[in-house]
Amino acid sequence: PPDLLWQGPIQPVVIPAGTTPVLYKIPISEPVVFLGIDDGWAKTVDAQEWLISHRLPFSLFLTDDAIKSNYGYFQKLRAAGVTIENHTLHHSRLNKLSLSRQQAEICGTVGIYERVFVRQPTLFRPPYGLMDNTTIQAAGTCGIRAVVMWHASVENGVVHYQEGDHLLPGDIVLMHFNSNMTADLQVFFNQVRQDH
């Protein structure tokens, strides 16, 4: 899938004061991992029911183009406690855009989601994992508190790692809304149980 393009190494990030941090993992020692589900193109009933029935604090990084035909699907998830976060208006390759165009992609989504989901998103994941310093600057001007990347991803029933071969406390995991999402969610939970 397109968001799996980023293949960079996991490195500690030193964030200068006054800038928006870029997170590859959360610095905790408790046996907790974080799941972010991207895009929103596939809207299956079984995935929606699974997410609602498990009532876990998932974060959805949604692209407005992907969800605007059915905001109601995601409003139901929001009502069940899922957090709606930012993944741009059009799923653009931000590192190819000027500051003003990156701001339009990120800030435009902030305004729409605040109106539709009654909450302004505070986290942002760049499409394809592509970003530059301008992206971090643009995100900060749009009220984003952190840019969220990932350590592992789940695709077609397989967990893929940026490094290593298991999940560690604080790891961020990427998944997508797709036709296999319910099976991918189960694979993710099985891996969490095995590693923790």
Side-chain angles (χ1 to χ4, degrees):
D3 280 325
L4 296 180
L5 180 66
W6 178 77
Q7 294 292 319
I10 306 299
Q11 298 179 7
V13 177
V14 178
I15 306 300
T19 63
T20 304
V22 179
L23 305 175
Y24 297 88
K25 68 184 301 155
I26 308 299
I28 61 170
S29 57
E30 294 83 3
V32 175
V33 295
F34 300 88
L35 177 64
I37 308 170
D38 283 12
D39 298 342
W41 298 107
K43 302 165 193 65
T44 65
V45 172
D46 62 326
Q48 184 187 54
E49 290 173 350
W50 196 100
L51 291 168
I52 291 171
S53 69
H54 282 77
R55 302 194 70 78
L56 294 168
F58 302 107
S59 295
L60 309 183
F61 292 88
L62 302 176
T63 299
D64 192 56
D65 274 356
I67 69 167
K68 64 186 177 185
S69 65
N70 190 355
Y71 286 131
Y73 180 93
F74 299 96
Q75 286 169 328
K76 282 180 94 170
L77 293 173
R78 169 80 172 110
V82 172
T83 304
I84 307 297
E85 301 295 356
N86 194 330
H87 198 49
T88 72
L89 288 171
H90 307 293
H91 209 273
S92 301
R93 294 174 184 264
L94 295 177
N95 64 334
K96 304 289 186 191
L97 303 179
S98 66
L99 174 61
S100 63
R101 290 187 60 204
Q102 290 195 43
Q103 286 173 318
E105 281 289 326
I106 301 167
C107 294
T109 305
V110 168
I112 292 168
Y113 291 2
E114 184 172 21
R115 186 182 72 252
V116 172
F117 301 113
V118 198
R119 178 193 167 271
Q120 179 176 327
T122 58
L123 303 176
F124 171 68
R125 179 174 285 148
Y128 312 102
L130 297 175
M131 64 179 172
D132 55 19
N133 288 334
T134 304
T135 309
I136 297 168
Q137 180 184 355
T141 66
C142 298
I144 298 299
R145 295 177 58 197
V147 176
V148 180
M149 297 298 278
W150 63 92
H151 170 259
S153 62
V154 182
E155 176 192 9
N156 295 322
V158 179
V159 181
H160 303 276
Y161 301 92
Q162 294 293 341
E163 52 183 46
D165 61 0
H166 61 282
L167 297 173
L168 298 170
D171 280 348
I172 299 169
V173 180
L174 167 70
M175 192 179 297
H176 290 86
F177 279 90
N178 60 42
S179 59
N180 300 319
M181 186 174 159
T182 305
D184 284 349
L185 284 163
Q186 195 56 56
V187 166
F188 166 73
F189 275 93
N190 292 344
Q191 191 68 50
V192 170
R193 286 189 200 104
Q194 177 182 316
D195 293 343
H196 297 280

